[in-house]
Amino acid sequence: MVDSIVAHMQAAVPHHGEVLLITHKALDRLPKAYRKFWHLVCDEIPSVFNSIELKIPITHRGITDHIKVDNVLVDGISLVEPRNKTALEDLASGRHGDQNLESFKDLANLVLRDDVLVVTNPEHYADLIDPSTKRASINFFGIKKEDFAKGWKTTTFLGANFFQTELYHVWSRLFKVSWQPHGELASTLRYTEHHNGERLKLTYLFERKASKQFYRIEEDDGTEMFDAVWNTVVGHLNGKPFIWQVPADRYPENFSPINRLPGISHGLDKANWKTVDNVVLLSVRNQGTPAWGFLKNIGMSDNEIAETLNHQNAYQAMMRCSLRDPLVDRPVEAIVPDRATAEWLAEKFEGCTIEKMKHSLPEPSKSGRPSIGKAPMSQKERNARNYAKRKAEKLGLVDKGYPQFD
């Protein structure tokens, strides 16, 4: 597929005008040749950050003998680079035929790629390879470099809430990428803010942030807390149809996969989802995860990370329902795990309401990330803040519109 795309780009007549549609995956693999004649418009913000966790206290030498972790990128993060490329190529290809070495295949592939920056915590790595320590697992992070967006005549990314995406935060901090709104496209948008907030009711379950550990707590009857949360939400909706998103390792019984939202729902526009007026969003990302720690190490605040990992995902998932259709006026209820998520979403939808669901579930412990310690904003307070934001935008004090890579 990539070879045929490259051949087409090579044969195209420069400056004659042509639209070539390719997938994100194909774009990720395109070489740099022939780019200078093409404008790249990337629909939806691509993911640039992924994590690989390996539990290898005994077998780590299958990969650690072939990599080096010497150069410090920032405090607490060091580069992972090839030590033995031939051995890594064998791991990446799988031609060794060893099923136990298969677990190193993804990491070997990333380390060999020139367009990906692979990093890890140097202290964790030192503990892993030291036989006197008891470290059993380690996380490696692959960060897509900005190279795949370079070399084109222009490069433009299209997506909602751009300044809360991992691409914006990671590239701005690690690679010093600067951004500017695309003036021509921004001026032709159907809308730049939501005007149907009065349709939306945001219902949250807990004052504090729930976590995967909270979901795993066993009740007296042996069932887990997640089941109690799910049953509470289903009872609250009382037979109304809903689309739903839950952690990847959960699957409520007797519920159709047709209405299940994937972990990443950006850009999906399924007709049957747009007819549904209720959304249940129970996915959570824990503050203590390695991904959270990595993003803190590159200078992101807890609020910025929560926006990127949690709130942005909730926004994208919620927008798969009938709220996506500007011609529909039916009420919508979105159920989210915590107050902080509800308040963040409310900022996007002027006129919406926020309410805590009445239930008998216990509150998550303080070890989970608490929401901001204040009462939810009143409608009057949200309207005043949104008015001030719009006024600042009109005065040119706030960037607005689609950003463009420069």
Side-chain angles (χ1 to χ4, degrees):
M1 177 63 74
V2 172
D3 290 341
S4 62
I5 294 172
V6 172
H8 182 90
M9 293 174 65
Q10 181 181 14
V13 179
H15 314 301
H16 274 223
E18 182 179 330
V19 176
L20 176 62
L21 300 178
I22 63 174
T23 64
H24 278 224
K25 188 173 183 179
L27 172 63
D28 192 38
R29 298 171 58 196
L30 283 184
K32 293 185 178 180
Y34 317 114
R35 291 184 178 188
K36 64 180 180 179
F37 301 112
W38 295 80
H39 298 270
L40 173 64
V41 179
C42 195
D43 189 21
E44 296 300 332
I45 309 301
S47 175
V48 297
F49 171 71
N50 63 76
S51 173
I52 296 175
E53 181 182 12
L54 294 175
K55 297 180 180 179
I56 48 175
I58 307 300
T59 61
H60 67 82
R61 292 192 61 178
I63 186 70
T64 57
D65 280 356
H66 312 310
I67 59 177
K68 55 183 179 180
V69 181
D70 298 327
N71 296 320
V72 176
L73 183 64
V74 297
D75 188 34
I77 301 175
S78 290
L79 296 176
V80 180
E81 299 171 296
R83 184 188 301 276
N84 184 332
K85 283 192 174 183
T86 302
L88 289 174
E89 288 167 354
D90 285 341
L91 288 174
S93 68
R95 57 177 173 257
H96 46 72
D98 188 318
Q99 67 179 25
N100 293 318
L101 294 180
E102 280 293 307
S103 60
F104 303 134
K105 185 175 181 178
D106 289 344
L107 178 58
N109 267 308
L110 287 180
V111 175
L112 287 169
R113 287 180 58 169
D114 293 332
D115 62 335
V116 174
L117 199 68
V118 183
V119 299
T120 191
N121 183 306
E123 293 183 4
H124 294 175
Y125 186 78
D127 288 343
L128 178 72
I129 62 178
D130 184 347
S132 66
T133 67
K134 296 182 179 181
R135 172 164 288 278
S137 65
I138 189 170
N139 282 80
F140 295 91
F141 304 99
I143 301 101
K144 188 181 297 182
K145 296 180 182 178
E146 79 279 31
D147 293 16
F148 91 94
K150 284 185 173 180
W152 306 92
K153 193 166 185 179
T154 63
T155 300
T156 302
F157 292 103
L158 310 180
N161 304 321
F162 175 80
F163 296 106
Q164 285 89 44
T165 63
E166 62 184 37
L167 181 141
Y168 169 74
H169 283 296
V170 173
W171 279 16
S172 297
R173 285 170 167 81
L174 288 184
F175 307 127
K176 310 303 180 186
V177 173
S178 59
W179 309 91
Q180 64 183 33
H182 193 300
E184 185 177 354
L185 285 179
S187 65
T188 61
L189 294 177
R190 181 167 60 177
Y191 53 84
T192 57
E193 56 190 26
H194 295 284
H195 299 292
N196 55 356
E198 69 284 349
R199 293 179 55 201
L200 176 62
K201 176 183 178 182
L202 291 160
T203 303
Y204 67 94
L205 288 158
F206 306 110
E207 295 294 329
R208 300 192 186 101
K209 185 181 182 300
S211 66
K212 292 181 179 179
Q213 288 79 7
F214 174 75
Y215 282 162
R216 294 190 188 108
I217 294 174
E218 286 196 5
E219 299 193 284
D220 294 338
D221 61 1
T223 60
E224 291 188 328
M225 185 61 65
F226 175 83
D227 299 310
V229 172
W230 178 263
N231 292 333
T232 297
V233 170
V234 171
H236 171 82
L237 289 173
N238 194 27
K240 297 176 184 177
F242 59 91
I243 55 177
W244 47 282
Q245 185 186 70
V246 297
D249 60 346
R250 301 285 174 172
Y251 196 97
E253 294 182 0
N254 302 319
F255 283 87
S256 170
I258 294 175
N259 285 337
R260 180 172 187 173
L261 297 164
I264 299 177
S265 57
H266 301 52
L268 298 180
D269 192 25
K270 292 190 177 182
N272 62 301
W273 289 349
K274 290 196 296 184
T275 65
V276 180
D277 302 324
N278 301 285
V279 190
V280 174
L281 305 174
L282 298 182
S283 291
V284 293
R285 296 287 291 271
N286 298 349
Q287 182 176 7
T289 60
W292 199 290
F294 168 82
L295 295 174
K296 286 212 73 168
N297 278 354
I298 66 171
M300 290 178 64
S301 68
D302 281 338
N303 283 339
E304 288 173 331
I305 300 171
E307 287 179 344
T308 301
L309 296 185
N310 292 324
H311 305 335
Q312 173 80 318
N313 176 70
Y315 170 87
Q316 291 287 348
M318 185 178 74
M319 290 306 296
R320 302 311 108 192
C321 75
S322 69
L323 202 61
R324 187 175 183 84
D325 189 340
L327 300 179
V328 174
D329 59 2
R330 298 187 302 269
V332 168
E333 181 172 14
I335 298 173
V336 299
D338 57 82
R339 187 178 70 187
T341 301
E343 289 186 342
W344 189 87
L345 290 170
E347 294 180 7
K348 310 290 182 184
F349 293 86
E350 183 176 351
C352 73
T353 59
I354 300 179
E355 183 178 294
K356 184 176 182 180
M357 184 185 297
K358 295 180 180 179
H359 58 72
S360 58
L361 298 168
E363 187 75 12
S365 69
K366 291 184 179 180
S367 59
R369 182 175 184 266
S371 56
I372 300 171
K374 62 180 182 181
M377 284 187 180
S378 67
Q379 184 61 56
K380 183 177 179 180
E381 290 171 326
R382 286 201 302 274
N383 288 345
R385 184 190 47 201
N386 290 336
Y387 172 79
K389 179 181 176 182
R390 289 196 300 272
K391 185 175 181 180
E393 289 170 343
K394 289 179 180 179
L395 293 174
L397 302 177
V398 178
D399 284 339
K400 190 174 180 181
Y402 286 129
Q404 183 177 26
F405 180 89
D406 183 8

